[in-house]
């Protein structure tokens, strides 16, 4: 049986940064990453620009295989960890190989949820990986070449990833329908005024918004799919963008709910197993509650922190999380803690819209829609625990 002191499941940013951090702390030890994707680290954040044709494919890569070799980090490429035996400190791969580890990091992120009506159907487009981005590009080109009446796409989901699709479709003259399960876009995340700003932007680019609907069935047609909707209507589309969140890909033997539970040091309940990144549900000491975050900076910083702790430190993870994206020409950004139960203070002129979360007069989080100049000052205030500049 092969043996590694440090074994890392997942070669995304959390896993890669963890491996590199461990190497800086220990020049000799064997460090192995098991990576289901056969690519060196690439930026998921840059994938939308690649799909839009604004960035060549090779520019999404953040590492080369040579860089892993130079750092003496082994990567088991295209391999999946199927199970972990925490008591024996062993794990099994999909090719039947078994490995012994001393310290394990589970940094498995998540895979895009594809709900049952779409399972196994063509023209259904989740968006998580570079392979997904390649498929989306192909499908956008295919749909754009259809006759005008057939150039129609649906997007399901009311979160950030769903928002990435309309700018892929609309510039190609593809009629785009956004299907929301809730009454408005981001209804759990922003106030009705905040939703209205985003919906106005989408509608100004021709997006048709359907509220309180779910896809209850889908069947293949000549050019795409016929969707049955919960309001008894139907919609024929050539492709469907799916932005419905993530499913856990934690191996068997690693307990998880939505995420893999961990304390504030990113240590799981199982001995010598840590977790980091999108898949980690950790005790957030800044927010004072358990959270699971899906952003690049968080995954990077958690990879670093978990690695230090695997090497013997007792660092508590503390980070002000941030996410920002461009939808058409508007920047939508979030930072810090935005408790679902809290009511934010809204500063808005209908196009620039900010929702500020304050505790005892101190800014703890913000959602910023269409805001440019003031964004940095707001994030700085959250980081330094100051009052809001607005
Ligand atoms: C299209 C898109 C746009 C985004 N835009 C932004 C943005 O603008 N700003 C921002 O902050 N964040 C953005 N994000 C989110 C950000 O990319 C993620 O938070 C970050 O990549 C998470 O990194 P991770 O290492 O935790 O997980 P991942 O990147 O998901 O890496 C986990 C890796 O582990 C592999 N794996 C899973 N299970 C196993 C297993 N059992 N065995 C072996 N390998 C396994 C997976 O295949 C994957 O390669 C975006 C994400 C997407 C998809």
């Amino acid at each position: 049986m092969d043996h590694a002191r440090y074994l890392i499941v997942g070669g995304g940013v959390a896993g890669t940064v963890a491996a590199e951090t461990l190497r800086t702390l220990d020049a000799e030890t064997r460090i192995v990453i098991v990576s289901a994707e056969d690519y060196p680290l690439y930026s998921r954040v840059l994938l939308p620009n690649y799909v839009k044709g604004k960035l060549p494919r090779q520019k999404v890569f953040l590492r080369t295989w040579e860089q892993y070799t130079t750092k003496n980090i082994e990567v088991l490429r295209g391999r999946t960890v199927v199970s972990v035996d925490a008591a024996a400190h062993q794990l099994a791969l999909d090719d039947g190989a078994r490995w012994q580890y001393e310290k394990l990091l589970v940094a498995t992120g998540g895979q895009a949820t594809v709900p049952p009506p779409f399972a196994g159907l063509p023209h259904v487009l989740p968006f998580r990986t570079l392979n997904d981005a390649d498929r989306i590009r192909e499908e956008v080109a295919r749909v754009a070449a259809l006759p005008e009446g057939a150039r129609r796409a649906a997007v399901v989901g009311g979160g950030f990833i769903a928002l990435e699709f309309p700018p892929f479709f609309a510039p190609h003259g593809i009629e785009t329908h956004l299907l929301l399960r809730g009454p408005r876009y981001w209804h759990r995340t922003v106030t009705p005024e905040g939703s209205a700003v985003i919906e106005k932007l989408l509608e100004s680019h021709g997006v048709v918004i359907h509220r309180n609907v779910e896809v209850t069935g889908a069947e293949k047609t000549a050019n795409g799919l016929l969707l049955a909707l919960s309001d008894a209507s139907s919609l024929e589309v050539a492709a469907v963008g799916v932005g419905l969140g993530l499913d856990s890909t934690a191996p068997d033997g690693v307990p998880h709910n939505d995420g893999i539970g961990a304390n504030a040091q990113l240590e799981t309940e199982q001995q010598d197993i840590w977790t980091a990144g999108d898949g980690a549900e950790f005790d957030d000491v800044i927010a004072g509650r358990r959270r699971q975050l899906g952003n690049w900076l968080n995954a990077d910083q958690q990879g670093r922190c978990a690695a230090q702790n695997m090497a013997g430190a007792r660092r508590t993870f503390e980070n002000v999380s941030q996410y920002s994206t461009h939808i058409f020409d508007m920047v939508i950004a979030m930072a810090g803690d935005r408790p679902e139960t809290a009511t934010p203070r809204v500063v808005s002129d209908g196009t620039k819209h900010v929702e500020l979360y304050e505790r005892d007069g101190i800014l703890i989080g913000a959602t910023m829609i269409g805001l440019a100049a003031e964004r940095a000052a707001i994030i700085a205030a959250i980081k330094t625990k100051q009052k809001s500049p607005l």
Side-chain angles (χ1 to χ4, degrees):
M1 191 184 307
D2 267 308
H3 171 272
R5 176 161 169 73
Y6 295 118
L7 225 146
I8 294 168
V9 192
V13 58
T16 303
V17 168
E20 292 171 346
T21 304
L22 285 165
R23 180 53 76 223
T24 63
L25 298 171
D26 187 333
E28 302 297 331
T29 301
R30 191 169 189 193
I31 300 170
V32 176
I33 300 175
V34 186
S35 175
E37 289 183 84
D38 190 5
Y39 294 117
L41 179 66
Y42 63 88
S43 170
R44 299 193 197 283
V45 177
L46 294 176
L47 293 180
N49 278 343
Y50 161 58
V51 173
K52 287 176 207 157
K54 291 185 175 173
L55 197 71
R57 193 174 189 275
Q58 69 270 22
K59 291 275 186 199
V60 305
F61 288 100
L62 303 176
R63 300 286 187 280
T64 61
W65 287 125
E66 291 69 35
Q67 287 171 318
Y68 294 81
T69 309
T70 307
K71 291 190 169 135
N72 195 17
I73 294 169
E74 292 170 57
V75 185
L76 307 182
R77 292 164 52 175
R79 291 267 72 94
T80 299
V81 173
V82 288
S83 63
V84 173
D85 180 343
H89 283 56
Q90 289 178 11
L91 52 76
L93 305 189
D94 55 348
D95 62 358
R98 293 189 71 82
W99 281 72
Q100 185 89 42
Y101 64 82
E102 291 176 39
K103 315 263 178 180
L104 182 71
L105 177 68
V106 183
T108 44
Q111 69 182 10
T113 303
V114 178
F118 297 119
L121 286 174
H123 315 303
V124 174
L125 306 171
F127 191 18
R128 179 70 184 173
T129 65
L130 179 54
N131 290 348
D132 291 339
D134 289 336
R135 271 194 67 221
I136 294 169
R137 280 175 63 105
E138 284 164 23
E139 280 288 293
V140 169
R142 182 188 68 84
V143 178
L146 291 173
E148 198 180 330
R151 251 181 269 145
R152 189 177 310 109
V155 179
V156 290
F160 257 136
I161 296 298
L163 267 199
E164 299 287 355
F165 283 96
F168 301 158
F169 294 138
H172 296 275
I174 300 170
E175 183 185 304
T176 304
H177 292 254
L178 177 62
L179 307 180
L180 300 176
R181 262 188 303 214
R184 54 189 171 82
Y185 178 76
W186 244 9
H187 72 285
R188 289 209 184 84
T189 311
V190 290
T191 61
E193 301 96 292
S195 296
V197 177
I198 298 171
E199 291 181 3
K200 202 167 110 191
L201 169 77
L202 294 171
E203 284 168 342
S204 75
H205 287 272
V207 177
V208 182
I209 300 176
H210 303 245
R211 298 174 174 82
N212 300 309
V213 285
E214 275 192 67
V215 177
T216 53
E219 62 187 59
K220 211 172 152 326
T221 59
N223 288 323
L225 297 168
L226 181 66
L227 307 182
L229 305 183
S230 53
D231 62 3
S233 65
S234 61
L235 185 66
E236 188 167 358
V237 294
V240 182
V242 182
L244 289 170
L246 296 180
D247 292 331
S248 173
T249 51
D252 287 349
V254 176
H256 60 274
N257 295 316
D258 287 340
I260 301 164
N263 63 15
Q265 288 77 40
L266 305 176
E267 209 172 4
T268 72
E269 284 173 5
Q270 293 175 301
Q271 203 187 357
D272 295 325
I273 302 183
W274 282 259
T275 186
D278 282 14
E281 205 180 333
F282 67 103
D283 287 334
D284 184 338
V285 292
I286 297 182
R289 62 194 157 84
R290 199 159 254 218
R291 291 176 91 195
Q292 185 173 5
L293 299 171
N295 69 76
W296 186 270
L297 184 67
N298 175 70
D300 176 303
Q301 301 286 310
Q302 286 198 344
R304 201 174 307 270
C305 178
Q308 290 165 344
N309 291 344
M310 289 166 80
R314 286 289 303 164
R315 230 192 93 196
T316 292
F317 178 71
E318 280 188 67
N319 180 46
V320 172
S321 87
Q322 287 176 50
Y323 192 114
S324 79
T325 189
H326 271 83
I327 303 300
F328 295 110
D329 49 0
M330 183 183 272
V331 178
I332 303 177
M334 313 184 290
D337 187 22
R338 298 160 309 115
E340 247 184 56
T341 48
T343 307
R345 180 163 66 85
V346 174
V347 181
S348 180
D349 67 5
T351 48
K352 282 186 189 173
H353 178 96
V354 191
E355 305 198 348
L356 300 160
Y357 292 81
E358 290 156 320
R359 192 179 292 141
D360 303 327
I362 298 300
L363 191 60
I364 59 166
T367 305
M368 296 160 276
I369 303 168
L371 206 69
E374 305 88 338
R375 214 168 54 233
I378 289 176
I379 293 171
I382 296 170
K383 282 188 171 166
T384 53
K385 301 183 179 155
Q386 304 289 316
K387 289 184 175 169
S388 167
L390 291 182

